[in-house]
Amino acid sequence: IAIEGGRGDGTDMGRIGVQWDWKKRWFEGAEWHVGGYWDLALGDWERSDVLPGQNDSITEIGLTPVFRLQRNNLRGPYAEAAIGFHLLSKTSLGDKRFSTKFQFGDHLGIGYRFGAKGEYDLSFRYQHLSNASIKRPNDGINFSQVRLQYHF
């Protein structure tokens, strides 16, 4: 499970999510491999500098396959990258126009997994969401995020 919070483009965001490991390893070497997991998350975006009549919040749900370069023992530093799918409750936030409720969400992240069994995971992510110009305007939004995850 994970909780994350962040800010970007004048917007605060928070999410909770569940993840499940693929149990698959690619390019496994003596100490490192590429693994991955599914991330299913529910989030809320809030913006305070909106004009009267403008929307000040969005709820979103996302499903993202995440690839992670990590140590074979699943502890220590890692880097990850992902491109997933998000559905938004509305297509505007303040003066931002997303045009479609369907959005792609990609992120790059670095983190550190620790604890006696590697159960704790703290990371920083940079995330971009947009509709990839399926429809215009396509303002998109960028978030810098901190994430705490617990592995059962």
Side-chain angles (χ1 to χ4, degrees):
I1 60 171
I3 58 170
E4 61 189 75
R7 182 156 177 83
D9 296 340
T11 304
D12 295 318
M13 62 81 61
R15 283 194 193 112
I16 58 170
V18 294
Q19 299 76 37
W20 57 100
D21 192 355
W22 297 338
K23 308 251 187 268
K24 176 83 175 147
R25 293 182 178 204
W26 295 278
F27 310 107
E28 188 168 3
E31 293 193 30
W32 294 84
H33 73 276
V34 174
Y37 62 93
W38 289 103
D39 185 13
L40 177 63
L42 178 67
D44 182 64
W45 307 352
E46 299 286 334
R47 189 163 177 176
S48 60
D49 64 345
V50 300
L51 299 174
Q54 290 181 332
N55 182 42
D56 65 352
S57 69
I58 285 180
T59 300
E60 53 129 345
I61 188 166
L63 179 63
T64 305
V66 181
F67 291 91
R68 183 180 276 189
L69 175 63
Q70 58 195 345
R71 292 186 170 276
N72 291 341
N73 67 5
L74 305 179
R75 291 177 183 79
Y78 63 82
E80 64 181 29
I83 298 177
F85 310 100
H86 296 254
L87 288 176
L88 308 181
S89 61
K90 299 185 176 81
T91 59
S92 67
L93 184 65
D95 60 352
K96 285 195 162 290
R97 301 290 176 260
F98 303 108
S99 293
T100 61
K101 290 184 177 182
F102 175 81
Q103 300 284 301
F104 293 100
D106 53 70
H107 79 257
L108 294 174
I110 56 171
Y112 194 83
R113 192 163 167 182
F114 58 99
K117 297 177 184 174
E119 65 270 29
Y120 301 105
D121 189 326
L122 183 63
S123 63
F124 172 81
R125 292 175 161 188
Y126 178 79
Q127 185 177 47
H128 172 75
L129 289 102
S130 76
N131 69 18
S133 295
I134 292 171
K135 187 175 178 184
R136 295 192 182 267
N138 179 30
D139 290 344
I141 193 164
N142 300 305
F143 292 113
S144 295
Q145 306 161 335
V146 174
R147 177 181 177 137
L148 180 62
Q149 186 175 12
Y150 182 82
H151 300 265
F152 290 95

